[in-house]
Amino acid sequence: MATAQQIRNGYIDYVLTNNEKPKSVYSFAKKLKITEADFYQFYSSFESIEKTVWFELTFETISKIKEQEVWQQYTSREKMLSFFYSYLENLKRERSFVIYSLKNFKGKFSTPDVLAGVKPIFENFAQEIIDEGLDNGELAERRFLSKRYKDALWIQFAFIVNFWINDDSDGFEKSDEAIEKGINVTFDLFQHSPIDNLIDYGKFLSRNGKFKEKMGL
C-alpha cells in the first residue's frame, strides 16, 4: 500500500516532469501502481496534495524556529524576520514545485487556493507575535488598526514569496533585502511614532476642555 509521502513525491515528480497535472486520479494511480482507493485514503484531489505541501513547509518552519534557544529573547520584529529568512530557506528545497504551484495564479488581491491552508496558520502565528509586542509595549496599541496588523503581515508574506519566485540574484540576495526592508518598514509602522504622541495629546486636550477655556484657547 502506498503512503501519503509516496503519493506526494509521485505527484511532484509528475507535474515537474510534464508541467501539468495528471489527466485523472485513475491514470496517476495506475502510473504509481496503486489503486484509486489508496490515493483517496490520503488525498481528496490533486489540489489537496499541493495544499498539503504548502502547509507542511509553513508549519515546519514555524515549529523549527520556535525550538531555537534564542527565540524567547527575540523582539517581535526579530521573530518575524527569523520566520521569513527560515521560510525561504525551506522553500529552496521545493523551489521548482513552488514556482509551478503559483505560476498560473493571476489574482492580485486574493489568496491562491493552494495557500488556503497556509493563511490561517501564518495569521495565528503572526497574531501571537503581535500580541506579545502589544503586551510588552514594543508595538503601539491603536484602536481598530491593531486588529489589522496581521493582515499587513499576510500582505508581506504574499509579496516576499512572489519576489523570491522571480528573484534571479546570486544566492537570492535581493530576496533577503526584500525581507529586511519590508518587515522593518512594516514594524516601524506598528511601533509608537510622533503621530501617536500627537493623537494622545489631542485626546488629553479633549478630555480637559475646562483647562483650554481658562487659558483662553
Side-chain angles (χ1 to χ4, degrees), residues 96-107:
S96 294
F97 172 77
V98 167
I99 293 174
Y100 164 83
S101 184
L102 294 179
K103 70 176 183 178
N104 294 320
F105 180 71
K106 304 299 183 183

Side-chain angles (χ1 to χ4, degrees), residues 197-213:
N197 294 334
L198 182 60
I199 292 173
D200 287 341
Y201 184 56
K203 290 179 179 177
F204 170 80
L205 292 179
S206 67
R207 290 195 301 266
N208 296 276
K210 293 181 180 180
F211 289 99
K212 290 191 295 181
E213 294 173 4

Side-chain angles (χ1 to χ4, degrees), residues 42-86:
F42 299 104
Y43 301 105
S44 61
S45 64
F46 295 135
E47 288 72 19
S48 70
I49 297 177
E50 295 193 28
K51 290 178 181 178
T52 298
V53 174
W54 277 101
F55 179 89
E56 290 175 348
L57 287 168
T58 309
F59 182 80
E60 179 182 300
T61 300
I62 293 172
S63 297
K64 284 187 175 181
I65 59 177
K66 283 186 172 183
E67 291 173 357
Q68 298 172 351
E69 291 184 8
V70 295
W71 179 253
Q72 294 303 326
Q73 300 170 25
Y74 282 162
T75 63
S76 57
R77 182 192 300 251
E78 289 170 336
K79 286 181 178 180
M80 192 54 64
L81 285 168
S82 176
F83 167 80
F84 279 111
Y85 288 134
S86 300

Side-chain angles (χ1 to χ4, degrees), residues 124-140:
N124 286 339
F125 168 71
Q127 192 62 57
E128 287 179 10
I129 292 176
I130 291 165
D131 288 343
E132 290 175 6
L134 293 173
D135 288 343
N136 62 31
E138 180 190 349
L139 306 183

Side-chain angles (χ1 to χ4, degrees), residues 72-195:
Q72 294 303 326
Q73 300 170 25
Y74 282 162
T75 63
S76 57
R77 182 192 300 251
E78 289 170 336
K79 286 181 178 180
M80 192 54 64
L81 285 168
S82 176
F83 167 80
F84 279 111
Y85 288 134
S86 300
Y87 194 55
L88 293 195
E89 282 299 315
N90 220 5
L91 291 187
K92 285 180 185 178
R93 300 189 343 238
E94 306 277 6
R95 180 169 170 82
S96 294
F97 172 77
V98 167
I99 293 174
Y100 164 83
S101 184
L102 294 179
K103 70 176 183 178
N104 294 320
F105 180 71
K106 304 299 183 183
K108 294 183 179 180
F109 303 105
S110 59
T111 301
D113 290 342
V114 292
L115 297 183
V118 171
K119 187 175 183 180
I121 62 169
F122 173 80
E123 288 189 336
N124 286 339
F125 168 71
Q127 192 62 57
E128 287 179 10
I129 292 176
I130 291 165
D131 288 343
E132 290 175 6
L134 293 173
D135 288 343
N136 62 31
E138 180 190 349
L139 306 183
E141 181 75 61
R142 298 186 177 101
R143 189 178 183 184
F144 303 123
L145 289 178
S146 299
K147 296 179 180 178
R148 310 295 295 183
Y149 285 173
K150 73 176 187 302
D151 299 329
L153 289 173
W154 175 249
I155 291 172
Q156 281 297 321
F157 177 99
F159 169 76
I160 289 169
V161 170
N162 186 64
F163 189 96
W164 178 76
I165 286 174
N166 295 286
D167 186 4
D168 59 0
S169 63
D170 294 341
F172 304 108
E173 293 176 355
K174 290 182 180 178
S175 292
D176 288 342
E177 188 176 355
I179 291 172
E180 180 183 1
K181 292 183 181 300
I183 297 305
N184 281 331
V185 166
T186 301
F187 273 83
D188 283 346
L189 294 173
F190 290 171
Q191 291 181 317
H192 294 277
S193 69
I195 295 297

